[in-house]
Amino acid sequence: ETGVTQSPTHLIKTRGQQVTLRCSSQSGHNTVSWYQQALGQGPQFIFQYYREEENGRGNFPPRFSGLQFPNYSSELNVNALELDDSALYLCASSRSAGETQYFGPGTRLLVL
Amino acid sequence: QKEVEQDPGPLSVPEGAIVSLNCTYSNSAFQYFMWYRQYSRKGPELLMYTYSSGNKEDGRFTAQVDKSSKYISLFIRDSQPSDSATYLCAMSGEGTGANSKLTFGKGITLSVRP
């Protein structure tokens, strides 16, 4: 176990709704990165948060947004959900930006 | 062309076999090379981590990186049924933020038959 936790484990939403996913980083880690893993694919980088600031973003639209809190936990928010947003959402924490990333178990999102 | 290509699967081997998993990449900026193991419905678990070219061994696992050929491999000796999982190669560049993002291969599903 990596010590990275995510909630909820599963979620079902309908198209157009909004969703918030949560991640608690491993103790001593100040950086959280979020990834989207579609079925049968490798994870794709969404963005990274370092000390409460966004610190790099992948090729995802602005309706994907995030936050990092003073305790370094993080949220991923997705607005105006689309069917293609159905995926496993993974967060990974690291001791600092640029260091080894350790993944949580993921949140499985299904958009109907 | 994708930045990281991974041999397609699935792969099925008998218990005790030597397994070779491979990835190629196109981005010369990649400096860190990782192998993650992902069991069904779980998050990826870091198996091996290598900086630049060379070999690294950890128990039954050996990771090889050949930067001149842009090719990385993971070898599993004496494979066990518990090794049955999806194996993902991942790479990143120097620095932080988007430079440190992990770029993954598609993953290959390995099944080790008792």
Side-chain angles (χ1 to χ4, degrees):
Chain A
E1 298 295 325
T2 61
V4 181
T5 60
Q6 291 186 244
S7 63
T9 54
H10 297 84
L11 206 49
I12 300 175
K13 292 286 189 178
T14 56
R15 198 168 49 180
Q17 285 189 310
Q18 178 264 342
V19 69
T20 297
L21 310 181
R22 294 178 176 83
C23 172
S24 290
S25 57
Q26 188 173 329
S27 177
H29 288 192
N30 62 20
T31 302
V32 171
S33 302
W34 286 91
Y35 293 81
Q36 180 196 65
Q37 186 177 22
L39 199 61
Q41 303 295 318
Q44 299 286 316
F45 176 73
I46 303 175
F47 42 56
Q48 182 181 92
Y49 277 83
Y50 169 65
R51 294 189 173 183
E52 303 179 60
E53 297 285 332
E54 187 178 293
N55 186 41
R57 188 178 183 93
N59 191 24
F60 280 81
R63 58 189 186 84
F64 285 78
S65 62
L67 279 175
Q68 188 177 32
F69 300 100
N71 67 355
Y72 303 128
S73 65
S74 178
E75 282 183 358
L76 165 65
N77 299 291
V78 187
N79 293 323
L81 283 167
E82 300 177 0
L83 297 179
D84 284 348
D85 295 334
S86 295
L88 179 68
Y89 288 85
L90 296 160
C91 81
S93 77
S94 49
R95 192 171 52 183
S96 188
E99 299 207 19
T100 306
Q101 297 181 33
Y102 298 91
F103 284 85
T107 293
R108 193 164 295 278
L109 172 65
L110 178 61
V111 182
L112 301 176
Chain B
Q1 182 191 9
K2 287 196 167 186
E3 277 191 291
V4 179
E5 300 274 5
Q6 188 165 358
D7 285 352
L11 183 61
S12 180
V13 301
E15 184 174 354
I18 296 173
V19 176
S20 171
L21 307 175
N22 307 295
C23 288
T24 57
Y25 63 95
S26 58
N27 189 342
S28 300
F30 289 145
Q31 297 288 338
Y32 298 92
F33 304 91
M34 289 136 279
W35 286 94
Y36 284 86
R37 177 174 63 194
Q38 186 173 27
Y39 291 111
S40 181
R41 302 193 169 273
K42 301 287 187 185
E45 169 197 7
L46 181 65
L47 266 183
M48 300 290 284
Y49 179 95
T50 310
Y51 174 70
S52 196
S53 284
N55 293 357
K56 187 173 184 178
E57 188 173 322
D58 183 1
R60 298 184 294 109
F61 298 90
T62 300
Q64 285 186 353
V65 175
D66 181 349
K67 287 186 67 181
S68 62
S69 302
K70 297 190 176 67
Y71 190 90
I72 72 169
S73 299
L74 177 70
F75 298 95
I76 307 173
R77 290 185 299 282
D78 188 25
S79 55
Q80 302 295 309
S82 59
D83 295 329
S84 298
T86 296
Y87 289 80
L88 297 152
C89 62
M91 312 175 186
S92 68
E94 296 277 11
T96 66
N99 289 331
S100 70
K101 71 172 184 181
L102 297 177
T103 301
F104 284 86
K106 194 174 176 179
I108 183 169
T109 299
L110 170 67
S111 175
V112 181
R113 306 186 303 272

